[in-house]
Every structure is written in structure tokens, then in C-alpha cells.
Amino acid sequence: QVRLVESGGGLVQPGGSLTLSCEASGFILRDYGIGWFRQAPGKEREGVATISWVEGNIYYSNSAKGRFTVSRDNAKNTVYLHMSDLNPEDTAVYYCARLRDSRWYKYFASRHYDLWGQGTQVTVSS
């Protein structure tokens, strides 16, 4: 079965850190780019970060720059999103998605992604 499964979400205090995982099954992750997105209650989904299969091709939204780090472990078929210095505005459901073509790794428009995970909840609160 071709799918993406996110994990690692939870409750974290402001200023804390969290690492999310996106595990792929049914396809070889190293052949694809992956994007991370989030959607807060009452807000539109927004792109957070992308990582291409081409080494070094990584892109961050303004809200993620300097605080979030995306990485991949092709041997484990998994992409990670390490988040630090979290604040309540980071509270959202976080999704990963497969990029159709890694040439578009700087783009978050949904038409560039063809497979989505079910999401994992991140709550930042004291």
C-alpha cells in the first residue's frame, strides 16, 4: 500500500522542541521530494518545509526558517521535521506530502503533491 504516515506529534511547552517523522511505504522515498505542511484550527493549510531527493535542495517557509530543520534517512524511508523554539502559533496538525517532481521543491501549491499523510497533532501550550 502506497502511503505516508506521520508520527511524533504531541503536547510541548513554549520554547520546547519536537521531531516529527514521515515514514513512506509502498514506494522508494529516495526517488521523491517531501513537503511538510500544517493547518491550524480555522486557518488555511500552509507549507512549512520541503526536501528534494537532490541532496542540498531544501526550502523553508519564513515561519520555519531558523527554527525548523528538515532531513531524510533514505535507508529508513523516512523524512523528519525537527522543530525548536516552539510557540503557541505553531499549534496545528502537521502533514507530510509527496512531491510529484523535485524540480518544484520551492513550491507549496497542492497541485505539486500527489500523496498525503493523515497528519499528526502538535500542541504548544504551557
Side-chain angles (χ1 to χ4, degrees):
Q1 184 179 4
V2 176
R3 65 176 184 170
L4 294 169
V5 178
E6 302 93 338
S7 62
L11 175 64
V12 61
Q13 292 188 341
S17 300
L18 206 60
T19 299
L20 307 182
S21 300
C22 171
E23 184 175 2
S25 59
F27 67 98
I28 300 173
L29 186 66
R30 68 172 181 266
D31 294 337
Y32 292 88
I34 293 291
W36 281 99
F37 297 79
R38 67 185 183 184
Q39 188 166 19
K43 294 186 177 181
E44 292 188 354
R45 185 176 60 201
E46 65 168 329
V48 174
T50 63
I51 183 166
S52 167
W53 65 266
V54 177
E55 187 174 354
N57 283 358
I58 292 174
Y59 184 74
Y60 295 101
S61 68
N62 288 334
S63 62
K65 283 179 184 177
R67 300 189 302 127
F68 294 4
T69 302
V70 61
S71 61
R72 63 193 303 156
D73 185 338
N74 290 331
K76 294 184 178 180
N77 234 29
T78 301
V79 170
Y80 303 96
L81 182 69
H82 178 69
M83 306 182 293
S84 62
D85 194 22
L86 288 164
N87 59 68
E89 289 68 41
D90 296 313
T91 295
V93 178
Y94 284 71
Y95 301 89
C96 61
R98 187 175 69 178
L99 190 59
R100 293 178 187 271
D101 187 331
S102 277
R103 290 176 296 177
W104 304 105
Y105 75 97
K106 291 185 179 180
Y107 295 85
F108 291 125
S110 59
R111 65 179 180 273
H112 294 299
Y113 299 84
D114 64 356
L115 180 68
W116 294 80
Q118 84 291 345
T120 185
Q121 175 70 46
V122 172
T123 302
V124 184
S125 175
S126 55

